[in-house]
Amino acid sequence: MTCLNRILVQKFAYGAHGLFILLLLGAHLVFPTSVQAKDIENIFIVKHIVVRVPRSDDPAKNESTQGMLEAQKIAFKRLIQKMLTPQEQTSRNLFIKDIQRDIKDFLQRSIIVSEKQTSRYVEMTIDIHFNKEKVIQSLELAGISFCETPYPKTLLIVDDALSTSSLLHPILSAFTNAVNVYGFEIEQPIRDMEDLANLSLITDSNRREEFRTWALNRYSTQKIWKLSVDGLDSAVIPEAVPGQSMLRWKLVELGEGGLTYQFLKTSAAQQESKNKAKGKQFENPALELVKRIVIPWTSSHIVMSGLSNFLDVAVVNSDNLDLQDGLIKKFESIPGVEKVSYLEMSSDRVKLRIQYSGNEIDVKDKLAQFGAIDPGDGTEMIIRLP
């Protein structure tokens, strides 16, 4: 082989080797992204749980472990809060408390985002990941209706009069904390030339749909809120408090069927004071406002229980466990009954859910043979034990 041929072969080998390395790097870059995307689809993420754990002189106590356990409990409560309507949370409170005892079964990972240590405490911000399949399966088995679709990412537009005010930071902080509780994101316009040109479309009711399309394309936001305050520029003097300016806070949900929410009245003099707790007065009103907006969304996106056919049976005077166990076995022996599960339990009353396939009348007839009474009003059947 001539010297020239050896050089050409070496160049080809190096080139092929380099190409192979590039392909490997490309696969390395692409593969984690696809895995990550798939992973996100299989989890519920509760972000930005902030916990503060006091320092302890006991070497057996680990502040980070304590903080992690506390954050997991808070995250589970928030997860349930955004998935279930208030009515469902109240009526199924006993079940929720029961599954919370086994919270480890639902956890996938816990990630410490930040940690600050002082001589008195350890403060951590933690993201908690729950296994979506296990959470949903538990809710379905109990016959609980739930929403697994979080409120959409929202563009929050601040009125020009508020954008230069010292009130902006505390109100935005309050809204950020509130939306974290309900598990969605808010985005603010960066106010560059493109933003300024399109934000003016808000005032034209005929171009609102055009504005919503623009916001979706630029910020991936499906909802638009506009925050404003009346009385910031021109004082509105209430008769009850002469000489004192009042600020009336409101949020407008832009778009089809949008609503206006009046959510807070504050004193302008109080706002301008250097009170350390100035931002605190926004926290509860912002949380209540977000709750008022999110609950209708949750209710309208409810996924009914996976149990296609079920009957609820209330067993009264059920403190005799032997009688109760015998009754459940009888229910399970009914043709067509697939599962009998507990819904609620108190000292003298148990509610059971009977999952079945087939004809409801046949199952009710069999239950009647065991002493079940059908009130006929669409509620659960009742059995009174001696």
Side-chain angles (χ1 to χ4, degrees):
M1 180 181 294
T2 65
C3 179
L4 178 59
N5 286 337
R6 284 197 300 271
I7 292 173
L8 289 174
V9 168
Q10 288 174 347
K11 283 187 175 182
F12 175 80
Y14 294 151
H17 180 67
L19 179 61
F20 179 69
I21 291 175
L22 287 174
L23 289 172
L24 283 177
L25 287 173
H28 177 73
L29 291 172
V30 172
F31 183 69
T33 304
S34 61
V35 170
Q36 185 179 20
K38 185 178 180 181
D39 188 45
I40 289 175
E41 292 176 0
N42 295 324
I43 58 177
F44 287 127
I45 306 176
V46 183
K47 295 183 177 180
H48 308 302
I49 303 295
V50 180
V51 292
R52 180 178 288 187
V53 183
R55 289 283 194 181
S56 174
D57 295 331
D58 186 351
K61 291 185 178 179
N62 184 291
E63 288 89 353
S64 295
T65 301
Q66 284 182 277
M68 192 74 75
L69 293 173
E70 184 179 345
Q72 290 167 0
K73 293 177 182 178
I74 295 172
F76 183 79
K77 289 180 180 178
R78 288 191 179 181
L79 181 65
I80 292 298
Q81 188 171 354
K82 72 178 183 179
M83 291 183 70
L84 274 58
T85 62
Q87 295 81 2
E88 198 80 351
Q89 291 176 51
T90 301
S91 64
R92 308 311 303 280
N93 185 47
L94 290 175
F95 171 78
I96 293 168
K97 286 183 177 179
D98 186 52
I99 63 173
Q100 189 174 4
R101 296 190 188 98
D102 301 319
I103 192 172
K104 289 182 179 180
D105 295 341
F106 303 102
L107 290 170
Q108 188 147 321
R109 66 176 66 90
S110 301
I111 301 173
I112 299 177
V113 178
S114 64
E115 182 173 325
K116 181 173 73 174
Q117 300 192 17
T118 70
S119 58
R120 298 175 59 187
Y121 61 83
V122 176
E123 183 178 287
M124 296 184 291
T125 300
I126 303 173
D127 291 350
I128 308 295
H129 295 205
F130 293 97
N131 185 297
K132 180 184 288 188
E133 183 180 353
K134 290 182 178 179
V135 172
I136 289 177
Q137 185 180 45
S138 295
L139 297 176
E140 286 182 333
L141 286 175
I144 294 181
S145 300
F146 60 91
C147 170
E148 60 178 302
T149 307
Y151 192 83
K153 184 178 178 183
T154 300
L155 183 67
L156 179 62
I157 301 168
V158 175
D159 188 72
D160 290 339
L162 185 58
S163 62
T164 56
S165 170
S166 61
L167 307 175
L168 182 61
H169 177 72
I171 192 69
L172 288 181
S173 177
F175 266 96
T176 300
N177 292 336
V179 300
N180 281 340
V181 170
Y182 284 93
F184 66 101
E185 296 180 68
I186 53 174
E187 187 87 21
Q188 280 191 270
I190 59 177
R191 290 187 173 271
D192 59 4
M193 293 301 294
E194 180 182 346
D195 275 1
L196 295 177
N198 286 278
L199 288 173
S200 61
L201 299 177
I202 296 177
T203 56
D204 187 346
S205 58
N206 295 323
R207 304 186 70 182
R208 290 277 173 85
E209 194 58 38
E210 180 183 344
F211 177 76
R212 291 177 65 189
T213 302
W214 169 80
L216 177 61
N217 290 333
R218 181 159 213 210
Y219 291 106
S220 301
T221 52
Q222 295 175 305
K223 294 283 186 177
I224 301 168
W225 294 352
K226 184 176 181 182
L227 178 67
S228 61
V229 54
D230 294 333
L232 192 61
D233 291 327
S234 58
V236 179
I237 311 297
E239 294 180 4
V241 189
Q244 188 177 72
S245 169
M246 294 296 293
L247 306 179
R248 289 169 171 80
W249 295 83
K250 66 180 180 181
L251 185 94
V252 178
E253 186 179 3
L254 300 176
E256 193 173 330
L259 299 172
T260 298
Y261 300 89
Q262 303 277 352
F263 68 97
L264 181 63
K265 289 183 181 180
T266 55
S267 161
Q270 181 184 11
Q271 293 291 349
E272 295 304 325
S273 69
K274 294 184 179 180
N275 186 350
K276 291 183 179 180
K278 182 171 69 173
K280 295 290 184 182
Q281 62 189 308
F282 293 118
E283 291 182 1
N284 287 335
L287 183 60
E288 286 301 313
L289 175 62
V290 171
K291 179 180 177 181
R292 285 169 59 193
I293 296 173
V294 171
I295 286 177
W297 169 273
T298 302
S299 300
S300 63
H301 289 76
I302 285 293
V303 176
M304 298 306 292
S305 164
L307 311 180
S308 55
N309 296 301
F310 62 86
L311 287 169
D312 293 343
V313 179
V315 183
V316 185
N317 299 328
S318 58
D319 54 341
N320 188 318
L321 297 180
D322 291 335
L323 282 176
Q324 188 183 125
D325 290 342
L327 196 59
I328 290 175
K329 289 179 180 178
K330 289 179 180 178
F331 291 168
E332 291 174 338
S333 69
I334 296 174
V337 169
E338 299 170 353
K339 184 178 180 63
V340 179
S341 56
Y342 286 96
L343 288 185
E344 298 173 9
M345 182 180 294
S346 62
S347 59
D348 63 347
R349 180 184 175 92
V350 168
K351 184 184 285 189
L352 303 172
R353 174 151 290 177
I354 300 174
Q355 180 184 354
Y356 68 91
S357 58
N359 192 308
E360 178 180 330
I361 296 176
D362 293 339
V363 177
K364 281 189 172 182
D365 287 345
K366 289 291 184 182
L367 290 171
Q369 293 176 16
F370 300 135
I373 301 171
D374 186 358
D377 57 1
T379 60
E380 70 267 9
M381 299 183 76
I382 301 173
I383 293 181
R384 298 186 182 276
L385 295 179

